Amino acid sequence: MNDRSPPDEFADVNEAVGEEWEAETTPYERIRHVVAHTYSPVSADAVADDARTAPKTARKHLNTLADEGFVETTPGEQGGTLYRRSPESLVVEQAADILEHVSTDELVTRIQEMREQLTEYRSKFGVDSPEELAINQTNQALTEAGTPQDEIDPETIREWKTLRRNLAFANAALSIGNAEQFVDSDRRPTDDSVPA
């Protein structure tokens, strides 16, 4: 049996890493990082604690992030404001990541393939969504004694939901990519930039 305690230099690695993070970043950067991983509403105090800053500073930066659309606010039970990452900001981040790694032509091809696969799911199961499939399966199980013969694997429902989500991200990326191309092609030289 080993009753030895760790050496002092390893006693609080988390604190050392936290101090380094605090020294190398601004409160705004830390708050943005914390809220980027916050999907359930939390108080400014909780964000401040995780971001190693004062609640007043956290509130100020959270309100700025809310104005930018990165954070969503909701009223708390005690009347305070709760904060979480906005779903829209996640979509934009995912779309930007897709555009960074996939060409527009390849994206169009993948979108078409995903649409075809969704059509196959609808055709195969005779419903329009994985939620409808799950409801039908539950209703069938309730009305029959025992397990239904054609029970759907839960993995199939998960795959259908994931496919639908991925298609939404791909469509958002394509829309953003097309908007960027439109803006770039619409730029005209100003009188100052035209050589004389």
Side-chain angles (χ1 to χ4, degrees), residues 83-131:
Y83 304 87
R84 71 179 186 118
R85 173 123 187 228
S86 76
E88 293 82 8
S89 70
L90 185 59
V91 170
V92 170
E93 183 180 288
Q94 290 292 326
D97 187 53
I98 290 169
L99 288 172
E100 186 177 319
H101 297 96
V102 180
S103 72
T104 303
D105 291 340
E106 186 178 349
L107 187 56
V108 168
T109 301
R110 288 185 183 181
I111 287 172
Q112 185 57 39
E113 290 169 354
M114 285 187 276
R115 286 181 178 160
E116 289 170 3
Q117 193 172 357
L118 283 175
T119 300
E120 288 174 21
Y121 277 129
R122 289 183 189 113
S123 196
K124 179 177 179 180
F125 298 111
V127 293
D128 289 330
S129 71
E131 292 82 9

Side-chain angles (χ1 to χ4, degrees), residues 23-36:
E24 294 176 357
T25 57
T26 66
Y28 175 84
E29 291 169 330
R30 292 192 304 276
I31 289 164
R32 192 175 196 288
H33 175 81
V34 168
V35 87

Side-chain angles (χ1 to χ4, degrees), residues 27-28 30-31 44 48 53-63:
Y28 175 84
R30 292 192 304 276
I31 289 164
T53 192
K56 184 177 179 180
T57 302
R59 226 173 264 102
K60 177 182 90 170
H61 292 307
L62 285 165
N63 289 331

Side-chain angles (χ1 to χ4, degrees), residues 95-96 99 104 107 170-184:
L99 288 172
T104 303
L107 187 56
N171 280 324
L174 186 60
S175 294
I176 290 170
N178 286 339
E180 287 175 356
Q181 289 175 354
F182 177 75
V183 169
D184 288 343

